[in-house]
Amino acid sequence: MHKDLYPVKPEIAKNAWIDESKYKEMYEQSIKNPEEFWAKQAERLEWYSKWNKVKETQFTKPVSIKWYLGGKLNVSYNCIDRHLKERGDKVAFIWEPDNPEAAVRKITYKELHKEVCKLANILKDMGVKKGDFVTIYMPMIPEATFAMLACARIGAVHSVIFGGFAPDSIADRIADCESKFVITADAGYRGSKVIQLKENIDKAIVKSDNVKKVLVVKYANTKVEMKAGRDLWYHEEVQKVSDQCEPEKMDAEDPLFILYTSGSTGKPKGVMHTTGGYLVFVSMTHQYVFDYHDNDIYWCTADVGWVTGHSYIVYGPLANGATSLIFEGVPTYPTPSRFWEVIDKHQVSIFYSSPTALRSLMREGDQFVKNTSRKSLRVLGSVGEPINPEAWAWYHDVVGDGRCPIVDTWWQTETGGILISPLPGAIGQKPGSATKPFFGVQPKLLTLEGKEVQGAGDGVLVLADSWPGQMRTVYRNHSRFEDTYFSNYPGYYFTGDGCRRDEDGYYWITGRVDDVINVSGHRIGTAEIESALVANHKVAEAAVVGYPHDIKGQGIYAFVTLKAGELPSDEVRKELVQTVRKEIGPIATPDLIQWAPRLPKTRSGKIMRRILRKIAENQPDQLGDTTTLSEPGVVQELVDNRMNK
Ligand code: 6R9
């Protein structure tokens, strides 16, 4: 049995920014007097001119979220220039390449300043102006972060696309924000595999003709086609520009970036984050949640293509003048000791990773951990999905040798930063619980009918008031923003997650309550996978649900009806897998495909996913009410042939 509660370790509390009584005091202030609380927190940044109002937010239609109104600042200035006087020679980024034999790169704040200024000047020469959108599709190399910061420096809005997305997904994301500029590399590596990034961009651009310029970093030395007049080599352009570039004075509410994320319906939404509130929030959460101190070496294993990479590899750590490690590789290459070897090699003290990575390593056996020292570690973090108590205990006992608190951080692309998490010196941990709300965060549990659950109980998780890092809108679709997050439970932000609160007021996230599945910590809308499947001419209809998966958390289970005349076979199954990989990317690869001559539908023709979910979860005795089905026999057929027995 696992211990219930892992109390705060006194040796951690002693040196922590926040201890138990400080947490209580600050939390209370943050709720009672948010304006004063957040005004004080904003002073962690340097502003060209102060805001004239801290907060103007409304969760009922018309929904409007604004923080630090009228304030002026620049994110790149705050992440770089501000540190030059005292920390110019401090390392901002350590880059650990995929191949452990290849050379490490260390980039000081002074060097980062030059690199970002040069890239900002290249962007200007390419014609990028304040407010323009720039698509970034890069391997995990330092240039990816230079690109983000260079955009921020000149007031361009970046849209980073994860390297695992296929040309069609890239094309959709380029078209949605009509981005005219792309920054990419010839290719990248992941666990010795080569990913042809430039080739994917070329294919994507054919489908969306708005792209005018593509800047290409020569990295893997693969052969790529360069289109004259459109494509530019970074190493050539960088020779032509100055290493000084004045940062643009941005309004607190000017957009900083958009990031596409899957929803339960339709195409991915462009989640928009702005400048002032976002930076205050990621800087503050990075400091307090990880109990970050000046001499820490901090490593977040996420990819910059996801929000975790944005907030906790780049913006939060740099705003705090930290040394942030960028890792190009994968946890198991060349061996399952890689993470722990990198920790020893660079003396990492704060390590932030995901349950799926931990589970895949746990399975390999403790010897791969125990043959490393890990003495430098002080705080461990987890994000992306609920962490099962077994993986938690392994992380704590084996990886952390029982010394390090674990911060299980719950948040979302939409929230910009961490909202529910232990603070190492203040909140005791329970394995599997994200524990307590961060400052200013007011979680509530509601019944499906919208009634508030008091005390211990289960419900959907909503938030009662805004925090500075909250998304501001779905780009170009404010009504989708309002409908998705503010219409089911008026007056609240709806998270899409289910949650339990225990007797101690601890929060336990139970998973999505919408048609979004969380595969290895990546959110994928079932609707997207379904439309990828029906893009294959052999498919008449498809329904996709999640099912429990040992390593990935959730796996993708597809029920597929073929068109009349098409015969099911393993070949067709393989072909459908390829279709999905081509339409969306490898992250959406179905794990199981079951042939479904017919799908269970209501009399009005709606697919009954609730029933399919139970079949996929191998709980055929819990199908619930099937009386509204138009053809009740369909279900037994599917149960008998399920793939997951
Ligand atoms: C940061 C990030 C958000 C969804 C979220 C929830 C799940 C994330 C979690 C967690 C339980 C945690 N999630 N962290 N569930 N415990 N510590 O992952 O953003 O990709 O937008 O996913 O991930 O379901 O709603 P994003």
Side-chain angles (χ1 to χ4, degrees):
M1 275 305 285
H2 305 289
K3 266 195 286 170
D4 245 342
L5 175 74
Y6 290 69
V8 170
K9 297 170 170 50
E11 65 277 18
I12 298 275
K14 199 171 77 199
N15 299 310
W17 291 111
I18 313 282
D19 63 13
E20 198 183 332
S21 66
K22 185 100 184 150
Y23 169 72
K24 287 199 175 125
E25 180 199 331
M26 280 175 74
Y27 185 77
E28 201 177 294
Q29 282 169 0
S30 74
I31 304 301
K32 272 205 186 132
N33 207 339
E35 309 244 344
E36 191 183 307
F37 181 87
W38 290 111
K40 192 162 160 231
Q41 280 304 324
E43 279 163 22
R44 59 177 52 246
L45 303 181
E46 232 175 82
W47 299 73
Y48 298 117
S49 54
K50 284 259 164 84
W51 52 92
N52 39 51
K53 191 169 179 198
V54 174
K55 174 178 189 282
E56 199 178 273
T57 62
Q58 178 170 310
F59 278 9
T60 49
K61 291 184 190 179
V63 175
S64 166
I65 318 284
K66 293 191 175 120
W67 284 86
Y68 305 114
L69 291 81
K72 303 274 185 236
L73 75 165
N74 182 284
V75 165
S76 136
Y77 178 89
N78 272 283
C79 287
I80 310 170
D81 308 44
R82 186 162 58 102
H83 308 308
L84 291 180
K85 230 165 95 201
E86 282 176 14
R87 300 191 185 89
D89 293 316
K90 179 173 174 176
V91 173
F93 287 121
I94 301 173
W95 179 68
E96 171 71 24
D98 182 58
N99 172 2
E101 311 294 327
V104 166
R105 285 170 68 184
K106 291 190 178 175
I107 298 137
T108 65
Y109 275 93
K110 257 190 209 149
E111 289 162 346
L112 182 63
H113 180 253
K114 287 197 174 144
E115 295 297 342
V116 169
C117 285
K118 284 192 278 190
L119 184 44
N121 285 329
I122 298 176
L123 292 178
K124 282 186 177 172
D125 289 349
M126 284 162 61
V128 181
K129 303 223 160 35
K130 178 174 173 174
D132 282 347
F133 284 76
V134 176
T135 297
I136 300 176
Y137 183 66
M138 291 279 267
M140 279 291 284
I141 56 176
E143 283 73 11
T145 67
F146 304 165
M148 294 163 73
L149 291 158
C151 288
R153 194 159 191 93
I154 64 172
V157 185
H158 59 70
S159 163
V160 182
I161 302 178
F162 175 59
F165 281 114
D168 284 0
S169 297
I170 303 170
D172 286 346
R173 287 159 170 77
I174 289 178
D176 184 73
C177 63
E178 287 176 22
S179 135
K180 296 198 285 281
F181 309 97
V182 174
I183 307 176
T184 189
D186 47 5
Y189 304 105
R190 275 180 83 75
S192 80
K193 275 196 244 113
V194 179
I195 318 230
Q196 301 293 351
L197 299 172
K198 174 63 164 60
E199 200 181 300
N200 285 348
I201 288 290
D202 290 341
K203 286 187 190 151
I205 292 179
V206 177
K207 299 188 185 236
S208 59
D209 54 5
N210 34 301
V211 174
K212 301 286 174 273
K213 295 276 179 219
V214 179
L215 184 67
V216 187
V217 176
K218 198 178 187 64
Y219 169 59
N221 289 308
T222 55
K223 213 173 144 295
V224 295
E225 265 175 52
M226 296 292 279
K227 190 170 168 196
R230 188 194 71 184
D231 299 352
L232 304 164
W233 283 114
Y234 172 75
H235 63 273
E236 290 174 9
E237 298 307 308
V238 81
Q239 305 297 328
K240 307 176 192 162
V241 291
S242 139
D243 62 8
Q244 295 298 317
C245 172
E246 260 316 287
E248 195 73 35
K249 292 191 170 67
M250 304 300 288
D251 190 273
E253 283 300 338
D254 278 335
L256 176 63
F257 66 83
I258 55 172
L259 194 53
Y260 287 89
T261 192
S262 294
S264 46
T265 54
K267 296 210 163 185
K269 349 179 229 289
V271 169
M272 173 166 288
H273 284 287
T274 58
T275 299
Y278 173 81
L279 198 65
V280 169
F281 197 68
V282 294
S283 158
M284 180 184 181
T285 46
H286 174 261
Q287 179 188 350
Y288 292 151
V289 172
F290 301 104
D291 193 38
Y292 168 77
H293 287 79
D294 234 353
N295 47 3
D296 276 312
I297 305 286
Y298 164 88
W299 179 16
C300 164
T301 66
D303 190 287
V304 289
W306 306 113
V307 73
T308 308
H310 283 59
S311 300
Y312 298 111
I313 293 178
V314 184
Y315 292 119
L318 290 200
N320 294 337
T323 298
S324 176
L325 192 146
I326 305 173
F327 177 47
E328 186 190 23
V330 297
T332 47
Y333 176 79
T335 74
S337 288
R338 186 68 191 278
F339 270 180
W340 327 122
E341 284 165 1
V342 171
I343 287 171
D344 285 351
K345 180 169 171 186
H346 299 293
Q347 291 296 293
V348 171
S349 53
I350 303 172
F351 177 71
Y352 189 28
S353 194
S354 66
T356 188
L358 297 169
R359 285 191 299 262
S360 74
L361 295 173
M362 183 167 89
R363 166 178 84 159
E364 304 284 345
D366 296 0
Q367 72 275 18
F368 290 104
V369 188
K370 292 197 166 140
N371 62 5
T372 61
S373 154
R374 292 157 284 108
K375 284 262 159 30
S376 55
L377 286 174
R378 200 180 86 248
V379 175
L380 300 171
S382 170
V383 63
E385 51 179 312
I387 180 166
N388 47 310
E390 295 71 30
W392 196 101
W394 184 78
Y395 202 18
H396 184 267
D397 298 344
V398 181
V399 175
D401 280 327
R403 286 182 298 108
C404 309
I406 296 181
V407 291
D408 174 2
T409 63
W410 175 85
W411 59 294
Q412 311 176 299
T413 306
E414 293 89 336
T415 69
I418 296 162
L419 295 196
I420 304 183
S421 170
L423 305 182
I427 300 169
Q429 302 120 61
K430 297 186 186 185
S433 169
T435 75
K436 300 254 180 170
F438 190 73
F439 305 124
V441 176
Q442 297 182 56
K444 305 259 183 251
L445 304 184
L446 304 183
T447 63
L448 288 174
E449 296 73 42
K451 265 188 63 194
E452 192 176 338
V453 177
Q454 304 288 347
D458 262 299
V460 296
L461 179 64
V462 300
L463 302 163
D465 198 0
S466 182
W467 60 97
Q470 183 172 22
M471 76 183 280
R472 302 304 197 248
T473 191
V474 171
Y475 181 58
R476 277 215 185 123
N477 203 343
H478 197 67
S479 61
R480 189 168 174 198
F481 177 58
E482 292 178 322
D483 292 345
T484 310
Y485 304 104
F486 301 96
S487 66
N488 289 5
Y489 305 100
Y492 295 107
Y493 167 82
F494 171 51
T495 64
D497 280 325
C499 185
R500 179 166 69 84
R501 185 168 46 217
D502 70 16
E503 306 71 41
D504 301 327
Y506 276 50
Y507 289 86
W508 302 72
I509 307 295
T510 50
R512 304 287 307 186
V513 294
D514 53 8
D515 287 321
V516 170
I517 38 192
N518 190 328
V519 183
S520 300
H522 301 149
R523 269 164 73 172
I524 307 171
T526 52
E528 276 171 75
I529 308 173
E530 288 162 6
S531 66
L533 285 165
V534 296
N536 186 300
H537 66 277
K538 292 185 179 148
V539 174
E541 200 168 29
V544 170
V545 296
Y547 74 98
H549 187 288
D550 281 352
I551 304 288
K552 301 180 180 181
Q554 280 191 296
I556 299 174
Y557 195 124
F559 294 86
V560 173
T561 311
L562 292 175
K563 284 192 186 147
E566 299 292 347
L567 290 178
S569 70
D570 281 348
E571 259 60 70
V572 181
R573 221 180 235 132
K574 279 188 200 132
E575 185 183 323
L576 295 186
V577 166
Q578 283 315 313
T579 304
V580 176
R581 291 173 71 97
K582 190 184 137 281
E583 293 278 325
I584 307 175
I587 55 164
T589 308
D591 296 280
L592 298 171
I593 296 179
Q594 175 173 353
W595 306 118
R598 295 171 298 166
L599 288 168
K601 290 188 186 162
T602 60
R603 287 189 200 97
S604 61
K606 271 200 169 153
I607 296 176
M608 294 190 70
R609 283 160 202 290
R610 171 175 62 78
I611 291 178
L612 294 175
R613 233 175 265 136
K614 288 293 171 200
I615 297 174
E617 288 166 1
N618 199 12
Q619 297 183 323
D621 47 339
Q622 290 175 37
L623 295 179
D625 181 11
T626 53
T627 53
T628 55
L629 278 170
S630 64
E631 299 174 284
V634 171
V635 174
Q636 198 51 44
E637 231 168 83
L638 293 176
V639 167
D640 291 343
N641 296 308
R642 65 193 190 275
M643 308 290 292
N644 203 20
K645 281 181 226 180

